[in-house]
Amino acid sequence: MSNSSPTFSRTGVLFVLSAPSGAGKTTLTTSLRQKPDFVYAVSCTTREPRRGEVHGEDYFFLSDADFQARLAAGEFLEHAEVHGRRYGTLKQTVIEQLQSGVDVLIDIDTQGAASIRACGDPFIRSALADVFIMPPSLDELRRRLMRRGTETEEQIETRLANAAKEMENWREYRYTLISGSMEEDIEKFRAVMRAERYLSRRLIHHAR
Ligand code: 5GP
């Protein structure tokens, strides 16, 4: 028997997380980011920062003109208009990390997830592991948004209408996690991360 053992490396997984506004996604991503075994790709947006949000950490807050210039320069992997504001994922960081075997997490809406699924780059499509967080109900979502208190009543109604539409798209995702307590959501998401990291097709075999 040969004493040479095979060695393996793997390409990164692109974890795409979508959840209607108020489903607890920000708390979930903040908590996941405590264990930095992946890179969180910070999105760009033209919306105003909320209290406590930090430029470069929560979002890159851009003017409409700056967003448009980056779009024209082809800097976005995907982009969408959500609640009347523009959002986009920067391509360069995501691709560089995935190629070097680092997992990336992005938090995007259902339009963004659909455009990544349909993207022309087979490397991105095969890196993708998309997860939808399903809120327990629209009533619970309304309660959570009201408790958060960062939106006006009108904005809450817009977000709820948008949530109802987003919730129709759950079947498009590889995973759907029914939202429970924050601890349960984290545990479920971590289980998905573990499984995706063991997919045979992500492994690169290096013969010695
Ligand atoms: P919020 O304004 O509450 O932070 O986010 C509103 C929505 O925009 C959320 O559903 C969030 O997932 C989505 N979003 C955040 N960043 C991006 C992005 O880069 N692309 C897309 N398509 N959606 C995003």
Side-chain angles (χ1 to χ4, degrees), residues 35-50:
K35 187 179 172 204
D37 55 349
F38 61 88
V39 163
Y40 178 78
V42 176
S43 292
C44 298
T45 183
T46 61
R47 81 153 163 75
E48 295 296 311
R50 295 193 188 110

Side-chain angles (χ1 to χ4, degrees), residues 25 43 47 50 59 78 80 87-89 107-109 112 159:
K25 188 179 38 178
S43 292
R47 81 153 163 75
R50 295 193 188 110
Y59 281 105
E78 64 72 39
Y87 293 80
T89 309
D107 155 359
I108 61 176
D109 82 320
R159 279 168 186 258

Side-chain angles (χ1 to χ4, degrees), residues 43 57 155:
S43 292
E57 220 172 272
Q155 284 170 328

Side-chain angles (χ1 to χ4, degrees), residues 4-203:
S4 69
S5 54
T7 56
F8 293 94
S9 63
R10 67 172 177 87
T11 52
V13 186
L14 176 57
F15 292 104
V16 166
L17 174 63
S18 298
S21 167
K25 188 179 38 178
T26 309
T27 324
L28 176 63
T29 50
T30 306
S31 170
L32 290 167
R33 288 169 78 180
Q34 305 293 311
K35 187 179 172 204
D37 55 349
F38 61 88
V39 163
Y40 178 78
V42 176
S43 292
C44 298
T45 183
T46 61
R47 81 153 163 75
E48 295 296 311
R50 295 193 188 110
R51 203 180 323 122
E53 282 185 330
V54 177
H55 179 80
E57 220 172 272
D58 298 289
Y59 281 105
F60 294 109
F61 296 100
L62 305 182
S63 66
D64 283 319
D66 196 2
F67 193 99
Q68 188 54 39
R70 285 169 185 268
L71 181 59
E75 289 185 27
F76 292 121
L77 178 62
E78 64 72 39
H79 65 97
E81 195 175 306
V82 188
H83 314 136
R85 299 306 177 98
R86 306 181 87 180
Y87 293 80
T89 309
L90 290 169
K91 197 189 294 182
Q92 195 185 355
T93 346
V94 173
I95 292 184
E96 280 174 7
Q97 301 289 349
L98 293 176
Q99 281 173 343
S100 61
V102 175
D103 299 333
V104 177
L105 174 67
I106 57 175
D107 155 359
I108 61 176
D109 82 320
T110 52
Q111 306 170 70
S115 70
I116 291 187
R117 260 179 237 120
C119 114
D121 183 345
F123 176 73
I124 293 288
R125 286 203 313 272
S126 71
L128 175 65
D130 47 346
V131 181
F132 187 76
I133 309 282
M134 178 67 95
S137 69
L138 280 174
D139 281 345
E140 174 58 21
L141 206 54
R142 180 190 300 273
R143 275 193 290 276
R144 290 184 188 180
L145 282 170
M146 290 174 76
R147 216 179 303 136
R148 183 164 88 182
T150 50
E151 282 85 18
T152 63
E153 218 161 285
E154 195 189 332
Q155 284 170 328
I156 289 181
E157 291 313 316
T158 312
R159 279 168 186 258
L160 282 173
N162 202 46
K165 262 193 250 130
E166 291 212 306
M167 284 157 71
E168 288 170 9
N169 293 312
W170 63 274
R171 279 178 203 281
E172 312 294 322
Y173 288 72
R174 187 175 301 161
Y175 301 95
T176 295
L177 312 184
I178 314 293
S179 178
S181 69
M182 191 41 60
E183 292 71 29
E184 284 165 353
D185 291 0
I186 291 163
E187 181 44 38
K188 289 174 193 167
F189 197 82
R190 281 280 172 201
V192 167
M193 289 185 117
R194 280 196 294 276
E196 281 290 332
R197 287 169 172 160
Y198 297 132
L199 282 186
S200 306
R201 68 175 165 83
R202 301 204 192 283
L203 292 182

